[in-house]
Amino acid sequence: MEKDDIPDDIRENLMMIADGSQRVANIVKRLLTFARQSKPVKTLANLNELIETTLKLREYVLKTNSINVVTRFDPELPWSVIDPGNCSRYSLI
């Protein structure tokens, strides 16, 4: 993704793959955390970005099931303190 000659559509797909890979890494981390019973790590997160990323990762499944998602994100929504390793457990998708 650091190369300048990558077309925008491919760069976007690479970003989605990187985001998906990070989510998988977080799932593994959560499993290890559960096994070790370590304390959760809290950090600030933009909930709009979290929802948008989740929807992009689920885009194929949604389309193949004829589900059209309409979003209206609040640009003034304050950031929230979450445990990024546990954010998927609160997801509705």
Side-chain angles (χ1 to χ4, degrees):
M1 289 187 345
E2 295 174 2
K3 293 183 179 182
D4 294 330
D5 60 345
I6 298 174
D8 288 340
D9 59 332
I10 293 175
R11 184 177 305 280
E12 185 176 325
N13 288 339
L14 287 173
M15 289 176 65
M16 286 187 353
I17 290 168
D19 288 342
S21 299
Q22 186 61 47
R23 286 176 57 104
V24 169
N26 287 336
I27 289 169
V28 170
K29 184 178 177 181
R30 276 198 337 255
L31 289 171
L32 292 172
T33 299
F34 178 75
R36 294 183 197 135
Q37 295 298 315
S38 64
K39 294 182 180 180
V41 177
K42 302 290 184 178
T43 186
L44 284 175
N46 181 323
L47 296 180
N48 289 334
E49 288 179 11
L50 179 64
I51 293 168
E52 187 174 15
T53 300
T54 301
L55 289 172
K56 281 184 182 179
L57 290 171
R58 303 295 295 169
E59 184 176 36
Y60 175 78
V61 173
L62 294 170
K63 282 184 180 180
T64 57
N65 287 292
S66 301
I67 298 172
N68 182 30
V69 177
V70 177
T71 57
R72 293 185 192 105
F73 295 118
D74 182 356
E76 301 300 319
L77 184 68
W79 285 44
S80 296
V81 177
I82 64 167
D83 179 357
N86 276 330
C87 66
S88 63
R89 104 175 193 202
Y90 302 111
S91 176
L92 299 176
I93 297 176

